[in-house]
Each structure stands twice: as structure tokens, then as C-alpha cells.
Amino acid sequence: MSPNPRDWHGWRKLLLVIIFLSLPFVALAKSKAKKGGDFDLSGIIHPDLINAQSDPTLRFPVMNTGGSVFSITYGWLDISNSTVSYTVVQPTRKSEHAFQVSRFAVADLRLSGEWLTFKAPKKGKMLIYLPQDRWGTVHSGPGMGAAANRESLGTTSIYKTLLNFDGVMALVKPPPPPAPVVVQAAPAPPPPKPAAPPSPPAIVLSFPPGADDNQTLPWAEPTVVIRGVAMDSTGIPVVKINGMPVNMRPQTSQAAEFWSDELQLQAGNNPIQVVASNSGHVETHISLTVNYKPKAAAVDSRALDRLEIEGLLQGGVPPARIVDLVKERGIKFSPSADDLNAIRAAGGTDELIEAIQQAAPHP
């Protein structure tokens, strides 16, 4: 029995329909293969990984150009799972060439010669990989070509990253650390009993008389020397007075006499701290205060009083001569405001008033 021509015609129509319906799925599969970029990633230049915790991003140093040496910029191409962005680093006046687009909006991605070109989303981009230490070194068309040829491996790495972000990220991102192995430790032995703390050094002050911890000593001289003996069972301790090392003369292997250099005193209370430290860094502190009250200066028997100064002025002695007398002999009164006003009224000059104030005895 021969086949019916009408049946063959029906089968042909059915076959054409099946082929027609399958074409979109074939195109989709090709598109996914292109986007996924399931190809060899060995030998690519590994980019830097930034924002590893929040938004893992792969960073490449690039030279971006619109095809002209006059449009060259240098900066960072950052590729994340969702975005592609370019930040212009130099020259800063061309910052308008920066861009940021969705990674899935990148179209017409291709390697044209040694250049990477794509549209994002409609404007064409043309760039190559260029290490940061070579930024600013391209100044001509031949230079552009030479740089593109020299850095072709890096440019190919960017191309593969745009096609297969997850694959390149797996090469760059370190694997998670292995889970810690918990080892049951044996119970620790009981801690040893702490040793008794070492004894501090001993300090005995011998001068000034009556010097001891928390004592205030009256003193009439402008300097003082602190003397004493320091001793410790571990050896001769180190002694400092007000932070400065002292002179020491060993008496035994555990004791030494010490004395300070002359300490300059200010009128009033002068705190003094004596510190002895042994080999175990255990310290003994003694704090005392020397109250320095300067001796009253001897008064010249020829010193002038207020009435004598007024008498000299009224007797016609020039104020300049009286200034010399005040500086030579001094005065034997503490001039008050009234005293100075009276001397001015008697003809005293400002120079004389100043000399009287400087010669006034201090309390």
C-alpha cells in the first residue's frame, strides 16, 4: 500500500512547527553559555578583591578610550555580580568618562584585536588592562597599540570576568577556613601557690635633720642636700631623688650611703621624693617637703626712708641723683600707693618711682 500524499504533507507541517518552536530555546541556551563563560580560566591575571564581605567586587586597572588618544583616561574597572563601574583616577578633569551600569545591561561584548569593547547600555566603551604603574605613559596612537598588545592577557582576563564572574571570583576569593577541631584538653593542674612578695628596700634619711616620710622641714638656705642609707636583702638598691640618680658609696653588699647633688629650692614648699628600687623592681617611697624661707636681706644703715627722699627733692637734689642713691643704699620702708603719690607731689619722676619700687624690701 503506497503512502498517502496528504499524510506526508501533514507530517512535514508538524516537523516545521516543532523546529520553529525550538529555535528560541536554542538561542537562549547559547546566550546562557555565553554569559556563563564556561571556558578555561587558567592563566588569567587575578584581579584585586574588594568589599569581600558586603559586595564582593573584582577590580582591574585599565586605560579607557573612545578610540582617540585625546580621550584617554586611567582608572579602576570594578565588576561585581550585579554592576560594572569605571572610576576615573587620572586625569581628574575627565571624570565625566566614569560610568556605572548593570552587568546584565552590558551588550556586544567582544575582543576586537587586543581591545575590549562593549556597549553600556547604548554608549560604546573601548578599554584595555593597564597596570597602575603605567598610567599616564600612553601619549600616541602607536603607544595605544603597543600597550594593548603588551597587556592582552590582562584585557582577556577582564573579558572572561564579564562572561564568567562566578568562575573568576572562585579563583580569587579564598576558601572559607576549615572548621576548628575541638580537642578536649586535659584538666589543668592546680596553679602553684604564689610566692610571697619580696620585701621592699629600707631607706633611712640622715640629713636634713628630722627628715622622714610625710615630714615638712623648715629651711633657710637656697639649696639642700639629701643624705641617707639604703639597704635590701637582695643587694644594694638603686636610689633616685626627684627622678634623678644619686651618689652612692657601698657600705656592705646589701647597703650603701647615698647623697644627692645640691637641690635648688624655691621660696615656699619644695616636694622631695626619695625612691629605692631593688632587683625585683619592688620600690620604697619617702616623700618629704622642704619649706624654704629666705633670710631677710640685711638693711643698709644708710637706706632712705620716705621723708628723707621727700626732703632731698624739696632741697633741690635732682631726681636722677636720688635714683642713684636709692639704687646704692636701698630703702627702709615698703612703699604704699600713698607713699608714692607723696613722693610724686614732692617732685619725684617716674624713673625715681620705679627705682623705689625695685628697691622695696621683700617680705
Side-chain angles (χ1 to χ4, degrees), residues 159-170:
Y159 173 73
K160 291 184 177 184
T161 301
L162 287 168
L163 291 178
N164 190 353
F165 174 81
D166 292 336
V168 177
M169 178 61 71

Side-chain angles (χ1 to χ4, degrees), residues 177-250:
V181 178
V182 179
V183 179
Q184 188 67 32
K193 293 182 179 180
S199 301
I203 302 175
V204 178
L205 298 180
S206 58
F207 191 86
D212 205 348
D213 195 24
N214 296 321
Q215 295 292 317
T216 298
L217 304 176
W219 200 251
E221 301 298 330
T223 62
V224 67
V225 174
I226 307 298
R227 296 180 179 273
V229 175
M231 60 197 79
D232 187 79
S233 59
T234 63
I236 295 176
V238 176
V239 180
K240 293 183 179 181
I241 295 180
N242 286 354
M244 300 298 295
V246 298
N247 308 290
M248 300 194 74
R249 181 185 297 118

Side-chain angles (χ1 to χ4, degrees), residues 194-200 278 282:
S199 301
N278 63 18
V282 181

Side-chain angles (χ1 to χ4, degrees), residues 61-85:
V62 299
M63 179 180 75
N64 183 25
T65 175
S68 166
V69 70
F70 301 106
S71 303
I72 290 176
T73 60
Y74 307 90
W76 300 111
L77 184 71
D78 294 334
I79 305 172
S80 71
N81 190 48
S82 59
T83 60
V84 177
S85 64

